[in-house]
Amino acid sequence: MTIAPSKLSDPTVAAFVTAVNAHDRDAFLKLLTPDATMSDDGSDRDLQEWIDKEIFDSGGHMDVQKESAGGRHLVVNYRNDTWGEMRTAWHFEVADGGRISRFETGQA
């Protein structure tokens, strides 16, 4: 069963999922702190390069299956035009002011 972004517990994470699914790069970037970082499968990656390749240039889409930790940990069926669909885990660190300072993703 998919959880609609509007039903997610953390409003910043909900906005992140909404921006990804709408392919709205500007809205996505506004959710991040200026020094935000990310990792994929345990390796830190260049944020701008990764989001272009894995989300915006490849039609990324998140179908949230489960949430925990107040909505900051998600299990997602993630798909894009490069890799197809895969079950992934996402963890978010949300700074004061409601912006994401770090997110981590990888196979679930």
Side-chain angles (χ1 to χ4, degrees), residues 7-86:
K7 302 291 185 192
L8 294 172
S9 300
D10 187 284
T12 302
V13 173
F16 180 100
V17 174
T18 298
V20 168
N21 291 349
H23 310 288
D24 188 339
R25 193 174 195 280
D26 291 337
F28 179 93
L29 292 173
K30 288 177 184 170
L31 294 167
L32 305 177
T33 62
D35 59 347
T37 61
M38 65 84 52
S39 73
D40 184 0
D41 284 330
S43 297
D44 278 10
R45 306 291 173 99
D46 178 276
L47 178 76
Q48 298 297 326
E49 218 174 84
W50 189 90
I51 64 172
D52 286 342
K53 180 179 176 194
E54 301 294 340
I55 298 174
F56 297 106
D57 293 344
S58 61
H61 188 86
M62 302 175 81
D63 287 325
V64 179
Q65 304 300 303
K66 287 195 304 192
E67 70 170 350
S68 58
R72 294 193 179 168
H73 295 183
L74 305 178
V75 175
V76 172
N77 287 342
Y78 186 78
R79 66 181 180 274
N80 67 23
D81 297 338
T82 304
W83 305 109
E85 186 168 310
M86 64 196 89

